[in-house]
Amino acid sequence: MRFELSRLRTAPGRPFRLTGQEPLSSVEWWGEDLPLVGAVEVQASAFFQEERVFVTLEVSGRVRRRCSRCLAEMVEAFHHRDFLEVPVAGTGAYLELRPLVESGVRLALSSRPLCRPDCKGICPACGADLNRGDHRPGCEATRPHGDPRLEKLKDLL
Ligand SMILES: [Zn+2]
Ligand SMILES: [Zn+2]
């Protein structure tokens, strides 16, 4: 998706609208490639003023990733709205929205996605997936008084 700059320039201050889909196959997220489920829905409005374009950009869609607690595969729905100021002096005939859409999706993604709000995650001590069942037998995390070495120390004192 893109805005034609010559049209925007003919009417400074007047907003032009674009609605459509940006076909992104994946988005880069901290060195990881997250696949998108379907296209990104985009609603954009832009106007030209003094060699700048002011863009209101709304992106929404769904992305495939892993739960930050239990690592299960999940789909995160995202929605993000941004107001951007893009300098366009000396640029080409178009304002391409794709890079703006990509950064909008990145900003929309949760830094700690959860497969469900009450995900119990994986026990750091025994590695059991606590959504599926209990700790492994003898797991330190299930001992009532925590670190056994501290218990011995208390006995000595
Ligand atoms: Zn989870
Ligand atoms: Zn455990």
Side-chain angles (χ1 to χ4, degrees):
M1 290 170 70
R2 59 196 192 178
F3 283 106
E4 208 174 318
L5 285 177
S6 58
R7 282 188 67 206
L8 267 63
R9 280 179 207 273
T10 57
R14 188 184 131 198
F16 290 80
R17 277 171 217 293
L18 268 183
T19 302
Q21 296 184 328
E22 188 67 44
L24 290 180
S25 57
S26 66
V27 66
E28 208 228 292
W29 172 260
W30 298 99
E32 208 184 329
D33 255 338
L34 304 179
L36 279 138
V37 184
V40 181
E41 301 287 338
V42 180
Q43 279 186 62
S45 165
F47 65 89
F48 176 85
Q49 196 114 62
E50 292 169 2
E51 293 310 313
R52 280 161 204 283
V53 174
F54 295 85
V55 189
T56 305
L57 186 75
E58 213 168 320
V59 296
S60 58
R62 300 191 314 147
V63 71
R64 212 177 281 286
R65 57 193 313 197
R66 284 182 181 278
C67 173
S68 62
R69 278 190 201 151
C70 74
L71 304 180
E73 286 192 14
M74 57 172 279
V75 170
E76 181 187 359
F78 61 83
H79 179 253
H80 186 76
R81 192 187 157 95
D82 234 345
F83 184 69
L84 307 152
E85 193 182 318
V86 186
V88 290
T91 60
Y94 299 99
L95 172 64
E96 296 288 348
L97 289 185
R98 195 183 175 89
L100 306 181
V101 169
E102 281 178 327
S103 60
V105 173
R106 260 180 235 123
L107 288 170
L109 295 180
S110 148
S111 56
R112 296 192 65 74
L114 293 177
C115 61
R116 55 188 212 216
D118 62 344
C119 171
K120 297 192 186 86
I122 292 174
C123 172
C126 72
D129 182 345
L130 301 178
N131 294 316
R132 290 167 190 258
D134 221 341
H135 295 268
R136 292 186 215 283
C139 170
E140 284 189 25
T142 59
R143 293 200 187 145
H145 300 296
D147 194 328
R149 285 164 300 184
L150 283 180
E151 286 306 303
K152 273 192 195 121
L153 198 63
K154 265 189 214 156
D155 285 346
L156 290 174
L157 295 172

